[in-house]
Amino acid sequence: MNIHHTRTGRGKPLLLVHGLGGSINSWNTISPALAQTREVIALDLPGHGQTVAQADSGTFDGLARSLDDWLGKQGFTAIDMVGSSMGARLVLEMARRGRAGAVVALDPGGFWQGWERTFFRTTISASIALVRALRPALPVLSGNIAGRTALMLQLSARPWALNPALISDELKSLADTRTFDALVSDLANGANQQGPANTHAPVVIGWGRQDRLCLPQQAGRAMAAFPSATLHWFERSGHFPMWDQPEETVRLILNATRIPPVD
């Protein structure tokens, strides 16, 4: 299958995998800095951005299959990966399958229990319904501090400080993702993410202390599934550390995926 992707920078390849309803543009806050020392490969998952959905793209397993197949066709062996939210779960799944090098998973989904599943499904479904209803007005609302704060409070610890163009693009991407509802249902009702990682490279799980979607208590379950991983707390971040704390996120990624010195 064809997965739309971009390549920028030079150096050791680094794959960026966005979250539910996102796109390549979700990484705009950090990809230029990463591209100074790495070849940054950012993709649109099937059903997102410019990549056409496959028959199974409304499920996590379907997205994992597509990503796994694409990695093989591109000849990527043990490529370093960074993922956000659902994309963070995908890169952890690639690590479990032995398909990844170093991995940085930012606020991964797939570790909720009990009422947290209902919380995820109901809150994200309500948010997307509002975004769809307001779609024609999103550029104006995103450019207004009060509007931006109201729309992004669940996902950001500092929504008023976010770039209006970034938020407008992200919200339009959410509204336009046709597999969104199917994925929400599958993620909320499906099995939790399994581990452990099948790699000797570093695995780092980053979590925002103020995450209001994938709640901070889920970090302990992620660490139990991936016991060889290192946990990094973003003290002043919500669900998207690359938005709330871009400089800290870049440092974490480069440190976790750094090339070992040659003896």
mmCIF file of all heavy atoms in Angstrom, residues 15 25 31-32 46 49 64 69 98 140 144 161 164-165 171 191 202 258:
data_model
loop_
_atom_site.group_PDB
_atom_site.id
_atom_site.type_symbol
_atom_site.label_atom_id
_atom_site.label_comp_id
_atom_site.label_asym_id
_atom_site.label_seq_id
_atom_site.Cartn_x
_atom_site.Cartn_y
_atom_site.Cartn_z
ATOM 1 N N LEU A 15 11.598 7.835 12.504
ATOM 2 C CA LEU A 15 10.220 7.782 12.042
ATOM 3 C C LEU A 15 9.287 8.402 13.083
ATOM 4 O O LEU A 15 9.347 8.062 14.271
ATOM 5 C CB LEU A 15 9.806 6.332 11.793
ATOM 6 C CG LEU A 15 8.369 6.100 11.317
ATOM 7 C CD1 LEU A 15 8.157 6.686 9.922
ATOM 8 C CD2 LEU A 15 8.026 4.605 11.330
ATOM 9 N N ASN A 25 1.468 16.921 10.003
ATOM 10 C CA ASN A 25 1.567 18.269 10.572
ATOM 11 C C ASN A 25 1.532 18.297 12.093
ATOM 12 O O ASN A 25 1.873 19.323 12.692
ATOM 13 C CB ASN A 25 0.446 19.154 10.018
ATOM 14 C CG ASN A 25 0.559 19.376 8.534
ATOM 15 O OD1 ASN A 25 1.660 19.362 7.978
ATOM 16 N ND2 ASN A 25 -0.563 19.547 7.862
ATOM 17 N N SER A 31 9.663 18.814 14.473
ATOM 18 C CA SER A 31 10.364 18.177 13.354
ATOM 19 C C SER A 31 11.506 19.019 12.798
ATOM 20 O O SER A 31 12.569 18.453 12.441
ATOM 21 C CB SER A 31 9.378 17.781 12.253
ATOM 22 O OG SER A 31 8.579 18.855 11.851
ATOM 23 N N PRO A 32 11.404 20.356 12.713
ATOM 24 C CA PRO A 32 12.561 21.115 12.221
ATOM 25 C C PRO A 32 13.800 20.959 13.106
ATOM 26 O O PRO A 32 14.919 20.840 12.592
ATOM 27 C CB PRO A 32 12.059 22.563 12.212
ATOM 28 C CG PRO A 32 10.580 22.450 12.087
ATOM 29 C CD PRO A 32 10.219 21.242 12.889
ATOM 30 N N PRO A 46 -2.932 5.282 7.534
ATOM 31 C CA PRO A 46 -4.082 5.021 6.670
ATOM 32 C C PRO A 46 -5.370 5.615 7.247
ATOM 33 O O PRO A 46 -5.672 5.467 8.434
ATOM 34 C CB PRO A 46 -4.152 3.493 6.632
ATOM 35 C CG PRO A 46 -2.724 3.066 6.824
ATOM 36 C CD PRO A 46 -2.155 4.053 7.804
ATOM 37 N N GLY A 49 -4.866 12.212 6.964
ATOM 38 C CA GLY A 49 -4.091 13.059 6.069
ATOM 39 C C GLY A 49 -4.281 12.676 4.615
ATOM 40 O O GLY A 49 -5.411 12.555 4.130
ATOM 41 N N ALA A 64 -1.757 -1.274 12.726
ATOM 42 C CA ALA A 64 -0.485 -1.937 13.025
ATOM 43 C C ALA A 64 -0.044 -2.821 11.865
ATOM 44 O O ALA A 64 1.144 -2.863 11.509
ATOM 45 C CB ALA A 64 -0.611 -2.756 14.308
ATOM 46 N N ASP A 69 3.618 -3.699 7.436
ATOM 47 C CA ASP A 69 3.830 -4.003 6.011
ATOM 48 C C ASP A 69 4.649 -2.904 5.336
ATOM 49 O O ASP A 69 5.555 -3.183 4.537
ATOM 50 C CB ASP A 69 2.487 -4.145 5.293
ATOM 51 C CG ASP A 69 1.745 -5.420 5.679
ATOM 52 O OD1 ASP A 69 2.342 -6.280 6.345
ATOM 53 O OD2 ASP A 69 0.554 -5.537 5.306
ATOM 54 N N GLY A 98 9.498 -6.616 17.432
ATOM 55 C CA GLY A 98 10.885 -6.632 17.018
ATOM 56 C C GLY A 98 11.154 -5.862 15.746
ATOM 57 O O GLY A 98 12.148 -6.109 15.053
ATOM 58 N N VAL A 140 -10.972 30.891 12.771
ATOM 59 C CA VAL A 140 -11.234 32.067 13.616
ATOM 60 C C VAL A 140 -11.134 31.698 15.084
ATOM 61 O O VAL A 140 -10.498 32.399 15.879
ATOM 62 C CB VAL A 140 -12.625 32.654 13.299
ATOM 63 C CG1 VAL A 140 -12.963 33.779 14.277
ATOM 64 C CG2 VAL A 140 -12.664 33.167 11.867
ATOM 65 N N ASN A 144 -8.258 32.849 18.271
ATOM 66 C CA ASN A 144 -8.713 33.567 19.457
ATOM 67 C C ASN A 144 -8.290 32.813 20.714
ATOM 68 O O ASN A 144 -8.499 31.601 20.806
ATOM 69 C CB ASN A 144 -10.243 33.709 19.401
ATOM 70 C CG ASN A 144 -10.809 34.374 20.620
ATOM 71 O OD1 ASN A 144 -11.043 33.712 21.631
ATOM 72 N ND2 ASN A 144 -11.056 35.666 20.540
ATOM 73 N N ALA A 161 -1.304 29.160 24.689
ATOM 74 C CA ALA A 161 0.033 29.457 24.185
ATOM 75 C C ALA A 161 0.358 28.735 22.879
ATOM 76 O O ALA A 161 1.416 28.965 22.302
ATOM 77 C CB ALA A 161 1.079 29.084 25.248
ATOM 78 N N PRO A 164 -1.787 29.207 16.668
ATOM 79 C CA PRO A 164 -3.140 29.117 16.110
ATOM 80 C C PRO A 164 -3.220 28.295 14.820
ATOM 81 O O PRO A 164 -4.182 27.539 14.626
ATOM 82 C CB PRO A 164 -3.510 30.578 15.862
ATOM 83 C CG PRO A 164 -2.673 31.352 16.821
ATOM 84 C CD PRO A 164 -1.387 30.602 16.922
ATOM 85 N N ALA A 165 -2.228 28.437 13.946
ATOM 86 C CA ALA A 165 -2.259 27.691 12.679
ATOM 87 C C ALA A 165 -2.127 26.190 12.926
ATOM 88 O O ALA A 165 -2.799 25.379 12.273
ATOM 89 C CB ALA A 165 -1.135 28.178 11.763
ATOM 90 N N LEU A 171 -7.288 20.472 14.259
ATOM 91 C CA LEU A 171 -8.726 20.305 14.441
ATOM 92 C C LEU A 171 -9.415 19.945 13.127
ATOM 93 O O LEU A 171 -10.330 19.113 13.102
ATOM 94 C CB LEU A 171 -9.329 21.571 15.040
ATOM 95 C CG LEU A 171 -8.921 21.865 16.493
ATOM 96 C CD1 LEU A 171 -9.466 23.215 16.937
ATOM 97 C CD2 LEU A 171 -9.388 20.758 17.429
ATOM 98 N N ALA A 191 -8.664 -4.877 23.411
ATOM 99 C CA ALA A 191 -7.704 -5.337 24.423
ATOM 100 C C ALA A 191 -6.667 -4.264 24.703
ATOM 101 O O ALA A 191 -6.373 -3.407 23.858
ATOM 102 C CB ALA A 191 -7.020 -6.613 23.932
ATOM 103 N N PRO A 202 16.976 1.338 23.462
ATOM 104 C CA PRO A 202 16.189 1.989 24.512
ATOM 105 C C PRO A 202 14.714 2.140 24.139
ATOM 106 O O PRO A 202 14.369 2.392 22.986
ATOM 107 C CB PRO A 202 16.853 3.364 24.651
ATOM 108 C CG PRO A 202 18.232 3.186 24.106
ATOM 109 C CD PRO A 202 18.104 2.174 23.010
ATOM 110 N N ARG A 258 20.058 8.439 20.450
ATOM 111 C CA ARG A 258 21.391 8.877 20.023
ATOM 112 C C ARG A 258 22.195 7.702 19.497
ATOM 113 O O ARG A 258 22.026 6.558 19.920
ATOM 114 C CB ARG A 258 22.143 9.545 21.171
ATOM 115 C CG ARG A 258 22.473 8.632 22.339
ATOM 116 C CD ARG A 258 23.137 9.421 23.467
ATOM 117 N NE ARG A 258 23.481 8.572 24.593
ATOM 118 C CZ ARG A 258 22.673 8.262 25.584
ATOM 119 N NH1 ARG A 258 21.441 8.735 25.576
ATOM 120 N NH2 ARG A 258 23.069 7.475 26.578
#
